[in-house]
Amino acid sequence: MKYVEAAKEISARLRGEPDDLAAAAAMHLACEAWKILAGSDIAWDRFGLELLDLRARLYSDHREVVVQAEAPIRDDAETRLAVTGMVELLARYHERCAVDERFELARRLSHDAGAQQLRRAAAALG
């Protein structure tokens, strides 16, 4: 599957009910885009810094999640749109988790901080 198609598919899953696996897949795809496209524009470096911190804090249990998709080919408008859209939906996922009273306060605060980081990452590419 092409990268942009995979990002759109994961985005569709993130629009539905909260799905930890879809969130982990989105983080994986976003990190893959950063790994491939970093260096082409400093915006990708800013994007990556936010992602790496968030991945270490909230996704350490999901390191084995892999999405079968080709790497992004180039830094173009379609790729950036797919990545930023997916990351913005991932931020909404974390916002929902931040208000979910099933989580303890510290976890909710971590989700809230994660949502803010994801919004900064998306803005860096915008």
Side-chain angles (χ1 to χ4, degrees), residues 3-13 15 29 78 82 86:
Y3 181 88
V4 171
E5 293 169 3
K8 288 178 181 178
E9 187 173 313
I10 295 300
S11 294
R13 289 186 59 191
R15 283 186 189 93
L29 279 180
E78 183 181 30
M86 181 178 63

Side-chain angles (χ1 to χ4, degrees), residues 16 36 63 71 99 103:
I36 300 297
R63 298 262 185 200
V99 297
F103 295 118

Side-chain angles (χ1 to χ4, degrees), residues 3 6 10 13-15 21 25 29 31-32 38 50 55 64-66 68 71-73 80 82 84 86-87 106 123:
Y3 181 88
I10 295 300
R13 289 186 59 191
L14 287 170
R15 283 186 189 93
L21 189 56
L29 279 180
C31 287
E32 287 300 306
E50 299 291 352
R55 184 177 72 173
E64 69 280 353
V65 171
V66 175
Q68 295 297 322
I73 298 170
R80 281 198 185 208
T84 56
M86 181 178 63
V87 168

Side-chain angles (χ1 to χ4, degrees), residues 2 24 40 48 54 57 59-60 63 66 100 109:
K2 303 262 187 231
S40 64
L54 180 62
R57 284 188 299 109
Y59 290 90
S60 61
R63 298 262 185 200
V66 175
D100 189 335
L109 290 172

